[in-house]
Amino acid sequence: MLPVVALVGRPNVGKSTLFNRLTQSRDALVADFSGLTRDRRYGEARFEERRFLVIDTGGITGQETGIDAAMAAQSFRAIDEADAIFFLVDCHDGLTAVDEEIAARLRQGRVPVYLVANKVDGTNPDLVLGDFHRLGFSRVFPVTATGGRGIRTLLGALVAELPPPEPLPEALPEGAGDSIRVAVVGRPNVGKSTLVNRLLGEERVVVYDQPGTTRDSIYIDYVRDGVRYTLIDTAGVRRRKSVELAVEKFSIVKTLQAIDDAQVTILLVDASEGLVDQDLHLLGYCLEAGRALVLAVNKWDGLAPERRDWLRRELERRLRFADFVDVHFISALHGSGVGGLYPSLQRAHRAATDQYGTARLTRILHDAVATHPPPMVRGRRIKPRFAHLGGRNPPLVVIHGTQVEQLPNQYLRYLEKAFRRGLDLHGTPVRIELKSPVNPYAGRKNELTPRQIARKRRAMAHYKSQR
């Protein structure tokens, strides 16, 4: 087990900036905006060949109500998990009453606390650090998280007190350590974070009855029934005209990046509102990105029977272009139907990442062509010859033959369904690439040697003399 270091403090003291500095990443959203971070974010840091986990937390104000109380609960859970704590204070603001309240709580714990005075640039350290000694910690570390000043001194003190590293485990066989990356996406306030907590069996992310609660993409690793998963909780994506705050724009960018990073996506739909246009836009984006997809209709338990029948018919009518997607009717709040998502997730992941042989793909292609031959183009028959797998996640089928680039879109959709039916693919799109034989001498002029030019001239002179 790696040591765990939690970053705690008031809002807007630079915890996310320090997290990005320690992990050498840009995973955490950073903005001059109080209360931006709401959920726990984990990352791995290295210093002098020592590895440890870092937890970024939301700000603690001491008088939390509403969503701030849920954020503070996440921070206190991080404190309970930590082997060491970086307590951040702001040199520009000086010592505050909230800092004293947080320090009093941290002194009750048994793990070492490192008082980190951030934003020391532009100040006189001898003047601004004096008040922080009143908090009762043995040493104050002045740093600047944005520029890296004082970070090596802080990490050197941390590494000196960490227990010796445990021996590394034996190497796993190839592929055994891979996890299924699952992104939960949808519009704001459809229950994504509630579903994530239900899948994990704990209150891992903040849940509150307010649109836009989740602002960043949170990656969570866990194991279920011997299968490793990486669950990604994302921010809600609303229509472009409804996006006003710059922070929300960055949240949407993070969500779209999470879709590209995932292997399977769970598109969550609110059953009380039905399938709206924004849901279809998100579904289309997931398919265009080539991601396997599972559709979950949430808040199903609160619908009347006639409303349920209507919604089933509506889904069947509007999802004809994606009839290969498994649909589940669930209640993330009460847990009904949530367990049924796992078989669909595994099946979609397997369909998107399996290896398919050339002989099998070619046999499916020949059967499809024999059943329904391709049309004629300028009086010539298009002749698909063979097919092979060109890529995975999503499966890319490359078809070789004569004039195959002339195949119409209707016939390509027919071949796509034939491959999906022949390979028993569920939940993943199939892409087809067409390749015709290329003449290597096309467009090249034969350059004659001087001897050939002379022979050509003599032949032309002889031909003219004979005429």
Side-chain angles (χ1 to χ4, degrees):
M1 294 292 291
L2 295 179
V4 179
V5 179
L7 310 180
V8 299
R10 293 185 294 110
N12 214 31
V13 294
K15 298 184 293 299
S16 296
T17 304
L18 181 59
F19 176 89
N20 289 341
R21 172 68 61 177
L22 297 179
T23 59
Q24 298 183 1
S25 68
R26 300 180 64 182
D27 291 342
L29 282 179
V30 176
D32 189 12
F33 185 88
S34 180
L36 179 60
T37 303
R38 288 175 171 174
D39 300 297
R40 287 175 286 164
R41 173 179 287 280
Y42 291 73
E44 183 176 324
R46 295 173 180 265
F47 181 74
E48 295 183 353
E49 300 183 356
R50 293 298 305 274
R51 300 163 56 221
F52 55 93
L53 293 179
V54 184
I55 310 178
D56 184 23
T57 65
I60 303 174
T61 63
Q63 297 179 350
E64 289 82 8
T65 58
I67 191 173
D68 292 337
M71 293 165 51
Q74 293 289 324
S75 300
F76 294 142
R77 288 194 181 96
I79 292 173
D80 296 336
E81 295 177 8
D83 299 307
I85 297 173
F86 285 175
F87 174 30
L88 272 72
V89 292
D90 191 334
C91 290
H92 291 171
D93 296 341
L95 183 63
T96 66
V98 177
D99 293 330
E100 294 180 348
E101 293 181 10
I102 299 174
R105 181 182 180 90
L106 295 180
R107 286 195 299 268
Q108 298 173 4
R110 298 181 179 180
V111 298
V113 178
Y114 300 82
L115 182 60
V116 181
N118 192 25
K119 308 179 185 179
V120 73
D121 279 2
T123 63
N124 186 340
D126 296 333
L127 296 178
V128 299
L129 298 182
D131 286 343
F132 295 125
H133 288 283
R134 294 166 47 191
L135 297 176
F137 298 105
S138 59
R139 187 177 175 187
V140 182
F141 295 88
V143 304
T144 301
T146 54
R149 173 182 175 182
I151 300 297
R152 292 189 61 85
T153 303
L154 172 63
L155 294 181
L158 171 69
V159 169
E161 297 185 15
L162 287 178
E166 298 180 358
L168 296 176
E170 296 183 0
L172 296 174
E174 185 177 356
D178 296 340
S179 63
I180 302 177
R181 297 188 298 276
V182 182
V184 182
V185 300
R187 294 180 295 111
N189 212 33
V190 296
K192 298 182 296 297
S193 296
T194 304
L195 177 60
V196 168
N197 288 339
R198 179 62 63 179
L199 291 171
L200 296 173
E202 64 168 322
E203 295 298 320
R204 173 61 180 81
V205 292
V206 173
V207 176
Y208 195 69
D209 188 15
Q210 173 184 318
T213 298
T214 303
R215 287 177 172 153
D216 205 350
S217 298
I218 307 298
Y219 288 66
I220 308 163
D221 296 322
Y222 71 107
V223 179
R224 175 186 168 91
D225 296 334
V227 181
R228 297 184 56 187
Y229 297 90
T230 299
L231 200 58
I232 311 175
D233 185 23
T234 64
V237 179
R238 68 177 79 222
R239 291 188 296 177
R240 181 180 300 178
K241 69 175 185 179
S242 302
V243 178
E244 298 178 355
L245 297 177
V247 172
E248 190 172 359
K249 296 180 182 179
F250 285 114
S251 298
I252 294 175
V253 171
K254 285 279 191 176
T255 298
L256 301 182
Q257 291 176 348
I259 293 175
D260 294 335
D261 191 30
Q263 295 170 322
V264 187
T265 55
I266 300 177
L267 176 60
L268 206 60
V269 176
D270 192 335
S272 61
E273 300 180 10
L275 192 66
V276 300
D277 291 341
Q278 183 66 7
D279 296 326
L280 293 176
H281 289 319
L282 278 173
L283 188 146
Y285 182 86
C286 294
L287 296 181
E288 288 177 4
R291 296 297 165 255
L293 186 67
V294 176
L295 181 65
V297 183
N298 193 26
K299 307 178 185 179
W300 185 251
D301 54 337
L303 294 186
E306 58 274 8
R307 176 71 177 180
R308 293 184 178 184
D309 295 337
W310 174 85
L311 186 55
R312 283 194 179 98
R313 294 192 299 269
E314 189 72 3
L315 290 173
E316 182 178 358
R317 181 182 67 85
R318 303 190 70 181
L319 295 180
R320 290 179 180 176
F321 69 98
D323 54 358
F324 54 89
V325 176
D326 290 340
V327 181
H328 293 265
F329 303 96
I330 67 171
S331 172
L333 182 62
H334 301 102
S336 59
V338 173
L341 293 174
Y342 283 102
S344 293
L345 292 175
Q346 295 176 8
R347 184 165 59 171
H349 175 263
R350 184 167 53 250
T353 58
D354 270 0
Q355 185 75 32
Y356 305 103
T358 300
R360 185 179 180 185
L361 294 174
T362 302
R363 186 168 58 252
I364 295 172
L365 174 64
H366 289 172
D367 292 342
V369 172
T371 303
H372 182 53
M376 303 282 286
V377 176
R378 293 190 295 272
R380 301 180 62 184
R381 177 72 64 185
I382 301 175
K383 299 177 182 179
R385 302 294 187 184
F386 69 96
H388 66 87
L389 191 66
R392 293 182 289 176
N393 194 30
L396 173 63
V397 180
V398 183
I399 300 177
H400 295 258
T402 305
Q403 296 191 108
V404 290
E405 280 94 352
Q406 305 297 328
L407 286 173
N409 292 332
Q410 298 89 334
Y411 197 81
L412 291 179
R413 287 194 292 269
Y414 162 73
L415 291 179
E416 178 183 333
K417 291 185 178 181
F419 283 112
R420 180 174 289 111
R421 183 171 55 253
L423 299 174
D424 192 25
L425 301 180
H426 291 270
T428 180
V430 177
R431 291 179 176 172
I432 295 180
E433 183 177 333
L434 305 172
K435 286 191 176 182
S436 294
V438 179
N439 183 2
Y441 300 102
R444 295 176 56 183
K445 185 178 180 180
N446 187 19
E447 298 292 340
L448 300 178
T449 64
R451 183 177 180 181
Q452 290 173 328
I453 294 174
R455 291 181 61 185
K456 182 178 179 181
R457 287 175 178 172
R458 290 196 301 268
M460 292 298 297
H462 176 73
Y463 173 76
K464 291 179 179 179
S465 65
Q466 293 294 327
R467 294 185 63 183

